[in-house]
Amino acid sequence: MLQVAFIRENKDAVIAALAKRNFDATQVIEDVLAFDESRRSIQAELDSTLSQSNKLSKEIGQLFKSGEREKANQLKEETGQLKERSKQLTEQLNEKAEGLTQLLYQIPNVPHESVPQGNTDEDNEEVFREGDVPQLGDKALPHWELAKKYDIIDFELGTKVTGAGFPVYKGKGARLQRALISYFLDKNTEAGYTEYQPPLMINEASGYGTGQLPDKEGQMYYVGADDLYLIPTSEVPITNLFRNEILSEDRFPICCTAYTPCFRREAGSYGAHVRGLNRLHQFDKVEIVRVEHPDESYKALDAMVDHVKNILRELKLPYRILRLCGGDLGFTSALTFDFEVFSTAQDRWLEISSVSNFEAYQANRLKLRYKDKNGKSKLAHTLNGSSLALPRVLAGILENYQTDEGIKVPEVLIPYAGFDTIS
RNA sequence: GGAGAAAUGGCAGAGUGGUCGAAUGCGGCAGUCUUGAAAACUGUUGAGGGUCACACCUCCGGGGGUUCGAAUCCCUCUUUCUCCGCCA
């Protein structure tokens, strides 16, 4: 969430920037400032009330020590009023603080100045494109047909065991999947990211920390018996590793990578566009997460974009990079670049990575801070990106690498896969 | 799952209900000494709110309670350790 002090000092700029998301913040920001104002004045009154009663308590202690019991008992009666008053004030204060937090939860992150105005994904700005689209003509099969033809992914079998959206990979399909995971992790660790294996379930506090809660509750699988959620992405457990931390500046940059399955309910999204691997309830993803000094976070974002570019270049897949417009930008993000791979047979672009800078928005919820040179605690910046999301990369490979002899394995993956063709 | 013990500042570790935000040691930082370093000595060293700056307020795992007053007493939750049971 945004910092109240920041809102107070940049009220008009915040409202103007949020307008790029088509979010009219005028009223909610008025409310925030009003709540903050009254919160602070209540706090001041409570403080002085407590101060008085602290003073009296000390006096009473002294009087008991010196044996002046009557005088002490007199003072005791005085404290009653103060106690009552501070109880009232505390209640009011909690009310205001709670109200303030609720309001702040409703305000999305302020978009970076480079974020274009826009409403939908149509308005995203293409900033880069690379790779040749193979000319396959009408023979091109979509990946779900290829998967069936070569018997490497079974969608029906997953339906039997669990339900729709839980595919079963088999044989060379499973092996190729594992090859991709290893390859991605190797690329990431070579680039300086430390590999983690985090828990696949998170508690409520973690969900709030990265912004999945309270709003996107319905997107996560909930394990009621133990009050836990299945992770929708490893961003959540990895970023939360740093919740409630005060780092020394020399810890930066913090670079983490993790492979995990991801679980998403995807409530309400069914139809032609979710066929095959396009949209799943369970999928594998290798993620990169960074915690950065605020002065360095945009450099870090560029580095992450370059890193993902390199991987796609090595895989020789046709892809493009989009700068998301205000309307398509995630709630917690300040700037996001989406990577899309071209799906030849479907004749459409598939999102395979989303690289974002959250600036201090998550850090504020996480209480993730660092100590600056003057010994002051400041909020750090958090970033993350996929490198990469497996199913759609796999879909891209299957479709773009299909030949009459079978599906060729991208050169860089052959050592990992142990074969060069799926036939 | 059952029985018991514990949770204090970066770490270790004291703390009789009343100058305890907290002794002491280590670590960190600054200084003295030194050509420089080490050692030694001196000082300093938690977080949040609030203020122009002070004052002041809150925080001793989380939440609640008793009391004029709680790190200290009570309830509850969480976590850790030991023993037993179960188990990949």
Side-chain angles (χ1 to χ4, degrees), chain A residues 313-344:
Chain A
R313 205 170 273 156
E314 279 196 3
L315 286 173
K316 298 203 170 79
L317 285 170
Y319 71 96
R320 65 176 186 178
I321 305 176
L322 304 172
R323 186 199 303 271
L324 294 196
C325 72
D328 210 22
L329 195 62
F331 195 80
T332 54
S333 175
L335 177 59
T336 296
F337 291 101
D338 269 9
F339 283 70
E340 296 183 333
V341 68
F342 191 71
S343 162
T344 313

Side-chain angles (χ1 to χ4, degrees), chain A residues 185 194-200 234 237-238 241 257-260:
Chain A
L185 283 173
T194 303
E195 185 174 341
Y196 284 80
Q197 287 191 12
L200 304 182
S234 45
I238 297 293
L241 297 175
T257 185
Y259 150 69
T260 67

Side-chain angles (χ1 to χ4, degrees), chain A residues 32-218:
Chain A
V32 163
L33 294 179
F35 264 79
D36 181 51
E37 185 65 42
S38 59
R39 197 214 86 221
R40 278 187 295 161
S41 77
I42 293 168
Q43 179 83 63
E45 196 185 339
L46 176 62
D47 284 359
S48 72
T49 309
L50 288 172
S51 176
Q52 284 178 54
S53 95
N54 285 345
K55 234 173 254 168
L56 275 181
S57 292
K58 272 178 194 163
E59 276 179 47
I60 292 172
Q62 291 298 329
L63 290 174
F64 270 121
K65 244 180 206 169
S66 55
E68 301 172 72
R69 221 181 272 152
E70 250 176 61
K71 237 177 164 179
N73 284 327
Q74 248 173 356
L75 284 185
K76 264 198 201 181
E77 281 166 32
E78 273 183 52
T79 60
Q81 274 184 22
L82 290 172
K83 236 185 143 180
E84 187 54 36
R85 183 70 188 138
S86 67
K87 208 173 164 185
Q88 287 171 4
L89 287 167
T90 303
E91 261 169 44
Q92 290 176 28
L93 185 71
N94 289 341
E95 234 168 75
K96 293 293 175 186
E98 177 60 22
L100 185 59
T101 311
Q102 289 308 321
L103 288 171
L104 288 171
Y105 276 150
Q106 292 169 28
I107 306 174
N109 202 356
V110 174
H112 186 257
E113 55 179 9
S114 71
V115 170
Q117 177 87 45
N119 299 318
T120 66
D121 53 4
E122 310 260 302
D123 301 313
N124 295 335
E125 177 193 335
E126 181 174 326
V127 294
F128 190 79
R129 186 186 286 222
E130 189 176 35
D132 300 322
V133 176
Q135 299 304 310
L136 301 171
D138 298 337
K139 295 183 301 184
L141 294 176
H143 67 266
W144 54 87
E145 287 184 27
L146 293 165
K148 196 158 199 170
K149 181 174 173 186
Y150 297 110
D151 195 25
I152 50 175
I153 307 171
D154 195 322
F155 293 97
E156 282 79 40
L157 211 47
T159 310
K160 173 158 83 179
V161 177
T162 309
F166 293 89
V168 174
Y169 302 83
K170 46 197 269 207
K172 286 185 172 173
R175 180 66 189 259
L176 189 58
Q177 180 100 314
R178 178 154 61 91
L180 278 166
I181 292 166
S182 297
Y183 166 67
F184 291 150
L185 283 173
D186 284 356
K187 292 302 287 181
N188 295 346
T189 50
E190 276 164 31
Y193 294 86
T194 303
E195 185 174 341
Y196 284 80
Q197 287 191 12
L200 304 182
M201 293 195 231
I202 52 146
N203 56 27
E204 200 177 47
S206 295
Y208 276 95
T210 33
Q212 278 68 32
L213 296 176
D215 292 333
K216 286 169 233 154
E217 213 152 2

Side-chain angles (χ1 to χ4, degrees), chain A residues 21 109 210-211 216 235 330-334 357-358 361-362 365:
Chain A
R21 291 180 175 269
N109 202 356
T210 33
K216 286 169 233 154
E235 163 199 348
F331 195 80
T332 54
S333 175
N357 187 352
F358 303 96
Y361 193 90
Q362 289 183 329
R365 290 193 179 191

Side-chain angles (χ1 to χ4, degrees), chain A residues 231-252:
Chain A
I231 59 169
T233 159
S234 45
E235 163 199 348
V236 181
I238 297 293
T239 310
N240 272 284
L241 297 175
F242 303 96
R243 176 153 45 90
N244 272 323
E245 293 282 332
I246 299 177
L247 307 162
S248 63
E249 268 189 322
D250 56 20
R251 290 279 305 277
F252 295 128

Side-chain angles (χ1 to χ4, degrees), chain A residues 284-300:
Chain A
D284 289 325
K285 186 154 63 73
V286 176
E287 187 83 356
I288 47 179
V289 172
R290 291 175 71 143
V291 181
E292 292 280 346
H293 189 285
D295 295 345
E296 302 295 325
S297 68
Y298 279 96
K299 251 183 254 172

